[in-house]
Amino acid sequence: MSHSHLHPIYAEMPVTIFEHMSGLARDLGAINLGQGFPDGPPPAELLRALTRAAMEQSHQYPPMAGLPELRRAVAGFYARIQGLDLAPESVVVTSGATEAIASAILAVVAPGDEVLLFAPAYDAYAPLVRRAGGKPVFVALKPPVWAFDAATIAGAITPRTRVIVLNDPLNPTGTVASPADLALLAGLCVAHDLFAICDEVWENVRFDGRAHASLLAQPGMARRSVKIGSAGKIFGATGWKVGWIVGAPEVAAVVGRAHQFLTFTTPPMLQWAVAEALDDPAIAPGCHAQWSVTRERLIAGLKQQGFCVLDNVATWFTCIDLHASGIALDDRTFSERAVREAGVASIPISALWEGEGRPDHIVRLCHCKNAAMIDEAVDRLGRWRTELKSS
């Protein structure tokens, strides 16, 4: 079979930058600060809940929209930490947040629709929009503050614009939309009759001491938006692939119809365990406390080695400005050479960018690793930076 039989969106697509860099890290025995995942196991309480569920609960198909216990737990979790008033019927459980994003795009985007994406953007958004027949329209956020600009966003809206995708907190920059940003975006959605897909998987990984606020909670947004969350990010169990999408019940029901023809259901023992963990008010804060320590360790170590660290308040990631760090390489060259020559994998921000305004001097590093790994990675990068500057 020739490539002429395969869809060009996928036939012409390389592997993701995350798979590429992680593959290099595995092959070369490098420290992987590229792809975002903790190096340790999930919380012991979560694993005990999984063991109980595996021994005591059904292993057969759960309901398509998710176990009632998990749907109630998600609604209760958001009521407790964000003050959202949600019915369990507002929640559809998915096999990870990327599947939730795909379900939302398939349920909302029609052929010919324009979809606003903020760059840098998680690399799944644009291919999914294109496969649904939509056209991604990128709005560049400028470093180092990555601010939303009202005039730029309004200028990107046309009569064909139907959807915006908001990733908040933003991966890869670790920045967070301000109350004014959320009000701006909600106002534009209402004024132009736009639907918002809100990828909020990092909502519980904030280090500014503030509770996350969702665009879904803004005036006029309850029935024109969906909110996506992830147990993998809340509990540091990325391989579990338990996510969810939240919206008004009538909206969630339609998104659920798209979900049922993707993965249909998520393993029930994982759902039982996540439900139990969400109901426990101590487990998620315990994860957050560990990540807070390792985040500070990475930032302090990088600064001590002479790297310019960009300000952020969320996610598992820290970005460095190569040029301000005295490194005259572009980000892709830095990442390709650093994994081979320094033994540390990273992610170049330009790989998460389409359209104009692409920066080529910023690299993302993951901080949810153990202290020894972080110290060794920072030491390797520091020595390599010294070699680069002296060569």
Side-chain angles (χ1 to χ4, degrees):
M1 182 172 64
S2 70
H3 273 191
S4 64
H5 296 91
L6 304 175
H7 199 287
I9 288 177
Y10 302 116
E12 299 168 9
M13 182 186 297
V15 297
T16 72
I17 189 63
F18 306 106
E19 183 66 20
H20 173 64
M21 294 309 301
S22 290
L24 286 175
R26 288 191 297 269
D27 293 344
L28 299 169
I31 296 173
N32 191 353
L33 299 190
Q35 191 171 17
F37 58 87
D39 66 293
E45 300 92 332
L46 186 65
L47 297 180
R48 285 192 286 269
L50 174 61
T51 300
R52 285 193 296 273
M55 296 298 295
E56 300 171 7
Q57 303 293 345
S58 172
H59 285 245
Q60 307 311 320
Y61 291 131
M64 180 275 294
L67 290 175
E69 291 78 4
L70 179 52
R71 298 172 80 190
R72 285 196 295 268
V74 170
F77 180 76
Y78 285 139
R80 188 171 74 246
I81 69 168
Q82 295 179 21
L84 297 179
D85 183 13
L86 300 171
E89 293 74 26
S90 296
V91 180
V92 175
V93 178
T94 59
S95 290
T98 300
E99 198 237 321
I101 294 164
S103 300
I105 289 173
L106 290 173
V108 173
V109 177
D113 286 352
E114 293 181 357
V115 179
L116 296 191
L117 305 177
F118 296 101
Y122 178 47
D123 59 359
Y125 300 154
L128 288 169
V129 168
R130 292 186 176 108
R131 191 63 185 90
K135 176 185 176 182
V137 176
F138 287 88
V139 178
L141 304 179
K142 297 179 181 180
V145 295
W146 313 101
F148 293 92
D149 179 74
T152 302
I153 299 170
I157 297 174
T158 76
R160 300 188 72 87
T161 308
R162 293 289 181 269
V163 181
I164 68 169
V165 178
L166 176 66
N167 180 204
D168 180 46
L170 179 59
N171 172 19
T173 68
T175 50
V176 173
S178 69
D181 292 332
L182 295 176
L184 163 68
L185 295 171
L188 289 171
C189 286
V190 172
H192 296 276
D193 192 23
L194 308 180
F195 193 90
I197 297 173
C198 307
D199 178 358
E200 301 181 8
V201 297
W202 300 105
E203 61 196 346
N204 217 53
V205 191
R206 291 181 61 155
F207 303 97
D208 57 357
R210 299 180 183 179
H212 178 74
S214 176
L215 184 63
L216 179 143
Q218 288 286 311
M221 296 303 296
R223 286 175 171 76
R224 63 170 68 250
S225 61
V226 290
K227 166 185 171 66
I228 292 163
S230 166
K233 303 303 190 294
I234 294 171
F235 300 115
T238 58
W240 284 34
K241 303 302 295 177
V242 178
W244 48 79
I245 192 159
V246 173
E250 63 271 25
V251 175
V254 174
V255 177
R257 292 169 197 157
H259 153 70
Q260 71 183 338
F261 295 123
L262 293 175
T263 56
F264 185 66
T265 59
T266 298
M269 67 291 298
L270 298 178
Q271 293 195 50
W272 282 108
V274 170
E276 188 172 325
L278 288 173
D279 285 338
D280 187 329
I283 298 177
C287 296
H288 185 279
Q290 294 178 22
W291 300 330
S292 181
V293 171
T294 55
R295 172 180 180 267
E296 290 298 327
R297 195 177 192 99
L298 178 62
I299 291 173
L302 289 170
K303 288 181 176 179
Q304 187 175 11
Q305 292 286 355
F307 289 96
C308 177
V309 179
L310 299 185
D311 291 338
N312 70 21
V313 297
T315 75
W316 289 336
F317 310 115
T318 295
C319 290
I320 56 175
D321 183 323
L322 298 178
H323 295 173
S325 303
I327 298 173
L329 301 176
D330 65 79
D331 59 347
R332 286 179 179 266
T333 302
F334 175 93
S335 291
E336 290 287 341
R337 288 185 59 182
V339 70
R340 292 177 170 86
E341 299 173 24
V344 179
S346 59
I347 297 294
I349 297 302
S350 65
L352 303 176
W353 199 288
E354 289 190 40
E356 298 179 355
R358 182 200 310 262
D360 66 354
H361 61 287
I362 299 173
V363 168
R364 192 195 82 175
L365 300 168
C366 178
H367 64 70
C368 57
K369 309 295 182 178
N370 66 55
M373 186 182 295
I374 287 174
D375 291 347
E376 177 62 21
V378 168
D379 186 59
R380 291 182 185 185
L381 289 172
R383 292 198 306 269
W384 188 59
R385 173 179 174 271
T386 300
E387 293 171 5
L388 288 176
K389 294 185 69 176
S390 63
S391 62

